[in-house]
Amino acid sequence: MTFWEYLQKINAPERKIIEKRLTDLIPESSIMRQMVNNLYSEIRFKEFDCKELAENLLNSPSGNEKTELIIRDFCRANRCLKGDEAMLPSDSILGRIVSFERFCELMVESWDHLDIDEAKEYLRRIIMNLPPDQLPDEWKNTEIGKHIMWSTFDENGGLPFGNPRPDVAFILCSLGLAIERGPFILFEYKLPIGIKPHVPTFCDAYAGDFWTAFFRTSPPGSSWGYTMPTEIDEEQKPLPEVVHVVIKAENLVDSLRFA
Amino acid sequence: MRDKRGYPLVDEQGFLKIESVNSLSFAQLSNWIKMVLFRKDLGTGGDRTISPYVFLKRVYHQLDPYVREAFHDAVLQHLADFASKKKAEWQAEVADQLLLLVGAVFRDSPRSNAPIDFLISITEQERFFQIEAQKNLHKRALQSLISIKYKANTEFWITQFKKGGDEYASIALSGLSLNSISITFEWIIDNASNNAVVNALFRRLPLLVKEYDCENISSHLRKLGPFLSDNHQNALYKNALRLGINLLSVFENFSIPEMNGLIQELQIEMSIPQKSMGDGVRILEQKLGKYSRPGIQSPDLKVIDGIVNIVGKNRLSLSPHYRNKLMENIEYLERHSPHIGYLLGMGKCILEQSGKDPKIFLEKKMVELR
């Protein structure tokens, strides 16, 4: 059920308190507006999820900061990667794009490298453009994401970013990602046996430390989610997207390369 | 627009307005940094996968210079609170992010020495040494010291390795390499049978090559080579190839059996009849093995150049008898195996020893082979 549907079932005074807490967030920014829209429209909540969130909003001190924290903590309470299993075309290749700087920061944070200079030199000189079957053993075990991985794919079973591949700005826009300073790394991989892709849900999107305005929930019965491009025009279309647990570099099907 | 209790403003889309950070008072800036690290300020838009310290690092780089100074002071203040036991709120994940932030914002700063005492203090407190914990703050503090390029003495890093074991191999290696590359490799040789140490070297090697140059590192790898296992030698070879390190100058100290894997990788064919071989040629053949390629390519020329260097360093003390045999081999190769690179190498070393100018010979051969 949606959180909206749940609220219609509770008593009016409590509903008004909760609605006001959420409504107070809306003027802050488009991020908050979109978040509230998504909260009301996410179809994949169970009734006990809605009940817990409602109680937390009712029983905690007021204030937008508190509301944001309640929602984030609600999402983090074992609710990530709980969406329906995404029904991808068989043998799908998944794709991600990450800034080089960000990926190196991840390597440092997760102890794969001691400092960012080491990470950058190692990636540039050893890993980039190396065929997956030639990756050093010590690197094959490297996790290539954090917490949850978001990825796209081709609905027709082709390459995730198409062929020919569009430019980076187009890809970032299609994926709902902010344009930041490059370069960017493209990842293409397959999920290992036992790892399932999921339709992204509200909790996947809002469990992170920072939120984006460019996420929308998927309608019921969706085989997968769709991105929310940062701009919409004739050429810029939403791309299919899924979420899954973090995987290792050994699952790459093509060399890491700069976009 | 949002304006929460002295927090910076965000734009309509929810992204931080840097000018509003620049206009915060020191107390507001310090408090806001703390709130971000404690994950209590979520109203700012951003990549949902980035950590608080990454967010703050990016903000830091966009600030006005004088605000960066205030940013430093604020981070130092929080670091002092954490290190001094005065405020127990700095725990686990939050402290981890703080330490990462210290490394990130002080590494290229003129004030890179400022956090050192606090970080050292953290490394001296047993309560932070928790290898099994999800967040080993002791190790993270050491990482921050490396990020800001703190040149501790050798004993400091070796002590950390003894304390933390394999988990601290990369810490020790990186820390030692900040001070002295020679001492670093002496330590690696002492621990050459330790997988963690060798893997740490592989990860650091590209940066070491950049910082200490190829020749310097090659000479150290040459000394290290014989102490490595077969697998590590092969892995080192592959890394060296990608880093442009002269392979044969590194591997000339390696034992012949260990070269077999290397030889297969190189795939060089020398069709020299057994009866014609002298000792020098035999050594070359053992080094190079057999291969077949449609034509010499630039990586092969590097190998051939390496062979020439070996010959040039008197590994082959050719008597006139063997020089004549090698000339016979060159003629043989002309007929049966027109590998230009081999001819370049062999012709050059032979002619130099005979006092003739190799350039004319080589140019003639290249024209004939086209």
Side-chain angles (χ1 to χ4, degrees):
Chain A
M1 73 188 316
T2 68
F3 191 60
W4 172 261
E5 288 166 349
Y6 177 81
L7 289 180
Q8 308 318 304
K9 293 166 67 172
I10 65 176
N11 65 65
E14 289 183 342
R15 181 171 67 248
K16 279 192 175 158
I17 292 171
I18 295 171
E19 285 175 347
K20 184 172 184 316
R21 285 197 81 152
L22 296 176
T23 305
D24 286 347
L25 288 173
I26 291 175
E28 286 209 352
S29 66
S30 59
I31 290 176
M32 293 302 164
R33 280 197 295 281
Q34 187 65 21
M35 185 277 291
V36 173
N37 281 341
N38 286 327
L39 179 60
Y40 281 141
S41 63
E42 174 60 74
I43 191 71
R44 292 167 183 82
F45 289 133
K46 301 283 190 288
E47 185 163 349
F48 61 79
D49 293 322
C50 298
K51 183 168 184 285
E52 180 180 322
L53 178 59
E55 284 175 356
N56 289 342
L57 288 170
L58 282 169
N59 299 326
S60 65
S62 61
N64 284 353
E65 185 184 292
K66 290 288 182 203
T67 307
E68 293 164 14
L69 288 172
I70 287 168
I71 292 170
R72 187 203 63 189
D73 291 344
F74 164 78
C75 293
R76 286 188 172 185
N78 198 28
R79 291 193 172 89
C80 294
L81 296 170
K82 301 293 186 193
D84 305 325
E85 182 182 339
M87 294 297 147
L88 268 54
S90 65
D91 223 27
S92 284
I93 298 174
L94 301 180
R96 277 165 61 84
I97 183 168
V98 179
S99 79
F100 181 61
E101 180 86 11
R102 176 66 197 119
F103 190 63
C104 292
E105 287 161 351
L106 179 65
M107 298 288 102
V108 171
E109 201 171 335
S110 56
W111 292 109
D112 293 298
H113 290 283
L114 253 295
D115 58 57
I116 200 155
D117 290 337
E118 179 188 301
K120 285 181 175 177
E121 281 302 304
Y122 186 83
L123 280 171
R124 280 197 197 110
R125 302 293 300 276
I126 301 292
I127 300 299
M128 296 304 292
N129 301 309
L130 196 62
D133 60 343
Q134 294 179 29
L135 287 174
D137 288 340
E138 71 272 8
W139 210 79
K140 285 180 182 173
N141 272 325
T142 300
E143 292 185 334
I144 57 174
K146 187 182 174 191
H147 299 317
I148 300 172
M149 289 179 66
W150 295 70
S151 57
T152 187
F153 59 94
D154 179 42
E155 295 180 51
N156 299 314
L159 294 174
F161 298 108
N163 190 13
R165 195 180 66 236
D167 65 33
V168 170
F170 188 92
I171 295 174
L172 291 173
C173 180
S174 300
L175 294 174
L177 300 175
I179 302 289
E180 54 177 310
R181 199 171 65 178
F184 292 85
I185 304 177
L186 289 177
F187 294 78
E188 290 180 348
Y189 57 92
K190 290 185 182 178
L191 292 178
I193 293 171
I195 301 295
K196 306 286 182 198
H198 295 270
V199 178
T201 65
F202 176 90
C203 290
D204 296 320
Y206 295 101
D209 289 312
F210 299 94
W211 293 348
T212 175
F214 300 101
F215 170 78
R216 56 187 163 200
T217 55
S218 306
S222 303
S223 296
W224 44 73
Y226 279 97
T227 64
M228 185 173 168
T230 53
E231 293 171 18
I232 295 287
D233 58 33
E234 282 182 5
E235 292 181 357
Q236 204 82 49
K237 293 184 171 54
L239 298 179
E241 73 175 353
V242 294
V243 290
H244 56 82
V245 296
V246 174
I247 59 163
K248 295 182 179 179
E250 63 189 356
N251 297 294
L252 293 168
V253 298
D254 201 353
S255 315
L256 287 190
R257 55 197 183 281
F258 289 119
Chain B
M1 296 299 144
R2 156 178 163 269
D3 180 8
K4 299 179 191 176
R5 299 159 294 281
Y7 285 7
L9 301 177
V10 296
D11 61 22
E12 210 289 317
Q13 287 198 339
F15 292 103
L16 191 70
K17 296 171 86 169
I18 285 295
E19 59 271 22
S20 68
V21 182
N22 284 326
S23 61
L24 291 176
S25 68
F26 176 77
Q28 290 172 332
L29 178 66
S30 179
N31 182 58
W32 178 68
I33 290 170
K34 186 175 175 182
M35 289 300 104
V36 173
L37 290 172
F38 275 79
R39 294 176 159 91
K40 289 183 177 176
D41 180 26
L42 286 165
T44 308
D47 180 343
R48 56 196 156 205
T49 68
I50 68 170
S51 307
Y53 98 89
V54 171
F55 173 76
L56 288 170
K57 167 190 162 184
R58 291 178 183 177
V59 168
Y60 165 79
H61 284 297
Q62 297 178 69
L63 296 174
D64 289 344
Y66 69 91
V67 183
R68 282 193 210 168
E69 293 294 315
F71 196 103
H72 283 151
D73 291 334
V75 172
L76 282 173
Q77 184 180 74
H78 295 316
L79 183 63
D81 288 343
F82 166 57
S84 69
K85 306 183 197 179
K86 282 181 188 168
K87 297 187 180 176
E89 58 188 343
W90 292 98
Q91 301 282 348
E93 179 65 36
V94 178
D96 193 62
Q97 290 291 306
L98 173 63
L99 291 168
L100 284 162
L101 181 63
V102 168
V105 302
F106 280 98
R107 59 183 279 107
D108 295 317
S109 154
R111 298 176 64 188
S112 61
N113 288 338
I116 289 174
D117 288 342
F118 298 119
L119 293 172
I120 297 285
S121 155
I122 292 167
T123 66
E124 291 171 348
Q125 297 180 52
E126 276 304 312
R127 65 187 177 114
F128 293 123
F129 180 67
Q130 297 171 8
I131 279 202
E132 300 299 327
Q134 197 176 10
K135 299 296 174 190
N136 183 341
L137 300 176
H138 178 270
K139 192 180 175 189
R140 193 65 92 187
L142 290 170
Q143 184 186 40
S144 299
L145 284 169
I146 289 168
S147 283
I148 61 176
K149 299 182 174 51
Y150 171 55
K151 295 184 180 181
N153 59 43
T154 302
E155 200 50 44
F156 176 83
W157 298 113
I158 293 178
T159 299
Q160 302 305 328
F161 179 65
K162 287 178 183 169
K163 190 181 178 77
D166 288 358
E167 273 283 317
Y168 280 43
S170 56
I171 291 276
L173 189 147
S174 302
L176 288 169
S177 72
L178 290 175
N179 226 342
S180 162
I181 196 63
S182 299
I183 291 175
T184 305
F185 271 94
E186 283 172 19
W187 177 78
I188 295 172
I189 287 172
D190 287 344
N191 293 278
S193 60
N194 185 318
N195 266 343
V197 170
V198 179
N199 284 337
L201 169 63
F202 290 160
R203 287 182 181 268
R204 194 94 181 156
L205 191 58
L207 184 62
L208 294 178
V209 169
K210 181 181 179 185
E211 290 181 339
Y212 288 99
D213 85 59
C214 229
E215 279 307 310
N216 192 345
I217 298 300
S218 292
S219 70
H220 288 293
L221 290 176
R222 194 179 304 127
K223 291 174 200 163
L224 169 65
F227 296 94
L228 297 178
S229 67
D230 288 0
N231 286 340
H232 283 152
Q233 285 180 8
N234 284 335
L236 180 59
Y237 158 72
K238 289 176 184 172
N239 281 336
L241 193 66
R242 291 187 71 81
L243 292 172
I245 293 175
N246 185 314
L247 302 173
L248 287 174
S249 67
V250 170
F251 291 95
E252 64 189 30
N253 284 339
F254 286 26
S255 59
I256 296 303
E258 282 81 12
M259 288 291 289
N260 286 338
L262 169 67
I263 289 164
Q264 284 165 11
E265 294 265 0
L266 292 175
Q267 294 183 307
I268 299 175
E269 182 181 80
M270 286 176 59
S271 301
I272 301 175
Q274 282 289 331
K275 64 181 181 183
S276 301
M277 283 193 296
D279 288 343
V281 177
R282 187 178 296 113
I283 290 173
L284 286 176
E285 188 179 38
Q286 284 172 338
K287 288 286 187 184
L288 297 172
K290 294 188 175 187
Y291 96 127
S292 63
R293 276 184 180 263
I296 291 286
Q297 297 179 21
S298 53
D300 306 315
L301 286 173
K302 276 190 178 177
V303 174
I304 300 297
D305 183 60
I307 297 171
V308 170
N309 285 333
I310 291 170
V311 171
K313 288 172 187 173
N314 296 312
R315 280 186 65 95
L316 298 179
S317 299
L318 300 180
S319 69
H321 171 71
Y322 284 128
R323 276 210 301 277
N324 288 337
K325 283 200 177 300
L326 284 170
M327 287 305 298
E328 287 171 9
N329 291 328
I330 288 176
E331 288 167 8
Y332 174 88
L333 285 170
E334 281 186 37
R335 291 191 298 274
H336 295 92
S337 186
H339 290 119
I340 223 178
Y342 176 75
L343 288 174
L344 287 172
M346 291 302 296
K348 185 178 173 188
C349 71
I350 297 300
L351 290 169
E352 280 176 344
Q353 292 201 10
S354 63
K356 292 183 183 175
D357 183 355
K359 189 178 173 195
I360 298 171
F361 170 79
L362 293 171
E363 284 173 351
K364 180 168 172 275
K365 287 301 168 190
M366 286 177 72
V367 168
E368 288 172 4
L369 285 170
R370 276 196 196 118

